[in-house]
Amino acid sequence: MSSADEPWWRRAVVYQVYPRSFADSDGDGIGDIPGITSRLDHLAALGVDAVWLSPVYVSPHVDNGYDIADYQAIDPVFGTLEDLDALIAAMHERGMRLVMDLVVNHTSDEHPWFVASRDPANPKRSWYFWRPGRPDPDGGPGATLPPNNWSSVFLGSAWEQDAGGSYYLHSFAAKQPDLNWGEPAVREAIYSMMRWWLDRGVDGFRMDVINLISKPEGLPDAPGGPTAGNQLEMVVGDPGLHTYLAEMRREVFDRYPDRTFLTVGEMLAVTPEQAVLVTDPERRELDMVFQFEHVDVDHGQLGKYDPQPLDLRDLKASLARWQVALAERGWNSLYFNNHDQPRAISRWGDTSQYWRESATLLAGVLHMHRGTPFVYQGEEIGMTNYPFARIEEYRDIEAARAYEVATALGLPSELILGTMAKMSRDNARTPMQWDGEAHAGFTTGQPWLPVHLNHLWLNVADQVEDADSVLSFYKRLIALRKSEDVLTTGTFTLLEPDHKQLWAFLRADERDRLLVLANFSDDELGIPDGDAFTGLDGGRLLLGNYPDGGAPGPLRPWEFRAVYL
Ligand code: TEU
């Protein structure tokens, strides 16, 4: 593909805004759309091409807006439709695009579609998965068990019983019933809603858990016990997904032949093989997927709340596997952070002695891979996990559910609170740190989640003028995606895969060979001998994360260097 007919998103960097926590314009302690508009200069200066905006639709907010009660209206807590139109216009004026979140595996139980479906005689009954229970041999007369053994991603049965006795399926919280994509009227309603947004000027969609939309016929039991999210085994990989995505492409995006959108599908448990099918341009499904393999490498036997020390070899191998798998056909997204992950710098870096170095190293390594990088708000200044100590400090439904289940199992609360502090999604959701003033400049009111004390020194205002700041490094990195062809088109080769501290790889095209080196440790690290590293000493440094550039010689703690050989 020549760069002329290459879609814009191949050279783009996308920034994710989590609206509750970005900027509050009206002092209610919750971020809003006018707040985002007021901060667009920050994003323009950063150089990002597009913003992915987490949900701002009408919602009861049991899952912070991932439970939608009206797809075509803005929740008053975030503003109005006029505010959103103004945001789109202000972004387009600055040459930025807006990608909305599309949450259509499920709605809120307060969505009028679901409310109507509670009546067995209503035509909307078939829009959701309503099923009778199974007889419960141990229960009293008429007692039933859920229709199958699926468990929700947020723990507990994936079925909720209604007053009438029937059950409905919810892959997430009970207030997030799954839509039945097998019902053509559901698909038509969704496609028409999507076109309505594109007509308003939206430039694409990030599609929430989109690989769960096609359920296997008959909803059979998952093998093994009812462990959290066991239904994924049954649902992920269902071939119907491809039919739906191709249909969506025809019914929505193809109707706008003069525009190029960005579509990225969040896909739990997706394999590289499935991702190739979804992102192969010829198959006309999606542009890229968010996979989870690399953010799960440090999960233990019991999943995310059983974090293990990172083995760097696993993380490198995971990214490399996806680079190779999608080299010929398809395209990768690149991310370490989002609103569902603890802060990568706290998880894999060193926030005490080498905070600046590890923040920039992680950024450098990620952005030198092939794909479209996503920056999550606060990442560009090196924001860290919050020191959560008490259960009352959390707001996330997932944290509340995990705590409830763990205490019911009799686990000591210190234990579960300790792992939650490391892994909770609320770590990503504390307010954006704009300055060192009250509430970090996020709000004039009481913030909905506590502001990190480190905003006193870790904030945008202090980094803007500092050429050596994390923020300045991100600006350089984002600019390189435009100027260095090899980053977009070059091949990828992982070097020294068995090294436990060094992350090294080569990007190459007909013209250039770019060597990327990163020392994931607090110690100095010699550069291995070997053919791949010859030419390093005479090479031209493209970017380094130490203020003096990359002096030849061993890598200093958490040093990152990208060198043209
Ligand atoms: O996330 C999908 C999802 O399953 C996440 O909950 C993820 O597995 C989990 O955070 C890891 O612990 C999407 C949204 O990004 C998330 O915010 C929503 O809660 C979820 O879907 C339901 O809509």
Side-chain angles (χ1 to χ4, degrees):
M1 178 175 314
S2 80
S3 61
D5 32 71
E6 189 186 72
W8 61 269
W9 42 260
R10 284 205 178 215
R11 276 165 212 267
V13 175
V14 185
Y15 186 94
Q16 183 190 352
V17 168
Y18 194 67
R20 277 188 103 71
S21 308
F22 191 65
D24 174 23
S25 71
D26 60 6
D28 66 357
I30 298 177
D32 48 42
I33 296 169
I36 303 170
T37 308
S38 75
R39 294 290 187 177
L40 283 185
D41 288 343
H42 170 69
L43 303 184
L46 194 55
V48 296
D49 304 272
V51 168
W52 150 28
L53 179 59
S54 278
V56 288
Y57 317 96
V58 169
S59 164
H61 292 283
V62 295
D63 191 14
N64 288 358
Y66 283 91
D67 49 321
I68 298 173
D70 185 345
Y71 287 109
Q72 290 173 228
I74 301 295
D75 196 290
V77 83
F78 295 127
T80 62
L81 208 45
E82 289 69 42
D83 292 332
L84 191 86
D85 288 340
L87 174 67
I88 297 175
M91 289 187 60
H92 286 173
E93 247 166 60
R94 290 170 169 82
M96 284 187 273
R97 292 166 152 103
L98 182 64
V99 173
M100 296 286 274
D101 219 307
L102 182 79
V103 188
V104 289
N105 173 67
H106 44 267
T107 65
S108 163
D109 68 339
E110 297 181 28
H111 195 294
W113 297 344
F114 185 76
V115 173
S117 86
R118 285 191 186 268
D119 171 5
N122 192 290
K124 293 237 164 41
R125 185 72 166 179
S126 59
W127 284 38
Y128 294 84
F129 294 95
W130 284 101
R131 295 287 184 276
R134 292 192 274 201
D136 178 359
D138 303 327
T144 58
L145 292 169
N148 71 18
N149 71 351
W150 292 6
S151 133
S152 108
V153 175
F154 291 161
L155 310 173
S157 172
W159 296 92
E160 182 77 4
Q161 196 169 23
D162 196 34
S166 304
Y167 292 80
Y168 66 86
L169 178 69
H170 59 90
S171 296
F172 294 87
K175 282 183 70 65
Q176 294 169 297
D178 282 41
L179 277 165
N180 175 16
W181 275 67
E183 171 58 70
V186 166
R187 306 202 300 274
E188 274 161 37
I190 291 171
Y191 301 154
S192 123
M193 173 270 285
M194 292 172 74
R195 290 190 298 260
W196 185 84
W197 281 109
L198 297 180
D199 292 340
R200 288 201 102 81
V202 160
D203 301 291
F205 293 102
R206 173 271 185 187
M207 304 178 185
D208 194 64
V209 291
I210 200 71
N211 65 335
L212 304 190
I213 59 176
S214 183
K215 315 283 198 269
E217 202 47 54
L219 310 179
D221 272 343
T227 50
N230 65 351
Q231 49 149 322
L232 297 181
E233 268 179 80
M234 307 305 295
V235 177
V236 170
D238 193 81
L241 173 71
H242 302 289
T243 315
Y244 295 150
L245 292 179
E247 180 185 76
M248 179 197 282
R249 180 78 169 238
R250 290 193 304 274
E251 296 299 320
V252 181
F253 304 107
D254 285 356
R255 303 241 183 135
Y256 304 81
D258 301 333
R259 292 166 66 185
T260 308
F261 302 108
L262 184 161
T263 58
V264 48
E266 186 202 31
M267 299 203 174
L268 291 170
V270 65
T271 62
E273 293 69 32
Q274 291 159 358
V276 173
L277 292 179
V278 169
T279 64
D280 178 353
E282 307 223 316
R283 290 174 48 93
R284 307 191 55 67
E285 295 184 19
L286 301 180
D287 300 328
M288 57 192 103
V289 308
F290 287 136
Q291 52 91 8
F292 282 74
E293 188 184 281
H294 68 300
V295 287
D296 291 352
V297 290
D298 55 0
H299 290 185
Q301 299 263 341
L302 301 175
K304 77 178 268 188
Y305 288 118
D306 182 17
Q308 304 297 312
L310 175 69
D311 185 331
L312 181 66
R313 294 171 299 184
D314 296 337
L315 185 60
K316 297 193 289 193
S318 173
L319 265 85
R321 195 158 93 91
W322 284 79
Q323 292 283 295
V324 171
L326 279 79
E328 300 299 326
R329 280 180 301 141
W331 190 250
N332 270 300
S333 74
L334 303 170
Y335 75 95
F336 283 150
N337 292 284
N338 62 36
H339 65 293
D340 292 334
Q341 298 293 328
R343 295 280 180 182
I345 179 172
S346 299
R347 189 175 179 181
W348 297 328
D350 175 346
T351 52
S352 52
Q353 221 189 328
Y354 296 104
W355 163 77
R356 199 193 63 81
E357 290 77 8
S358 47
T360 47
L361 171 145
L362 282 164
V365 166
L366 187 74
H367 285 235
M368 294 288 137
H369 279 78
R370 182 164 192 244
T372 300
F374 285 72
V375 178
Y376 177 67
Q377 68 185 41
E379 178 188 331
E380 78 278 25
I381 53 169
M383 276 179 65
T384 63
N385 279 356
Y386 182 85
F388 288 101
R390 293 173 303 116
I391 187 66
E392 296 77 26
E393 291 171 318
Y394 292 94
R395 290 289 170 275
D396 182 13
I397 183 169
E398 190 204 60
R401 294 281 300 129
Y403 186 78
E404 198 181 305
V405 169
T407 31
L409 285 173
L411 294 180
S413 74
E414 311 84 74
L415 188 73
I416 175 73
L417 285 172
T419 59
M420 277 172 50
K422 285 191 190 139
M423 299 306 282
S424 164
R425 311 197 292 184
D426 277 339
N427 281 303
R429 302 176 180 183
T430 62
M432 178 72 183
Q433 296 171 195
W434 295 104
D435 58 38
E437 306 295 318
H439 310 310
F442 162 71
T443 180
T444 53
Q446 270 310 311
W448 73 279
L449 252 193
V451 170
H452 201 303
L453 184 62
N454 66 13
H455 77 277
L456 293 174
W457 58 269
L458 195 174
N459 61 65
V460 173
D462 281 1
Q463 294 191 25
V464 169
E465 302 297 334
D466 175 2
D468 297 328
S469 65
V470 178
L471 181 59
S472 297
F473 186 85
Y474 265 89
K475 285 183 192 165
R476 287 200 283 277
L477 205 47
I478 292 168
L480 290 180
R481 191 141 289 266
K482 304 286 176 302
S483 59
E484 312 303 298
D485 276 351
V486 72
L487 293 181
T488 304
T489 54
T491 58
F492 173 95
T493 313
L494 183 68
L495 307 170
E496 303 287 326
D498 298 326
H499 203 300
K500 290 185 187 164
Q501 290 88 30
L502 177 70
W503 195 336
F505 55 88
L506 189 70
R507 301 295 312 276
D509 59 17
E510 315 77 60
R511 223 187 47 190
D512 293 312
R513 292 173 68 225
L514 182 68
L515 178 64
V516 178
L517 298 169
N519 174 7
F520 264 73
S521 82
D522 287 356
D523 304 313
E524 211 175 73
L525 189 67
I527 291 164
D529 303 325
D531 292 349
F533 302 94
T534 45
L536 184 59
D537 282 350
R540 175 171 74 82
L541 181 77
L542 175 67
L543 185 67
N545 70 342
Y546 268 63
D548 63 357
L555 292 166
R556 290 161 287 182
W558 298 95
E559 182 166 9
F560 161 86
R561 273 186 232 162
V563 182
Y564 277 119
L565 299 180

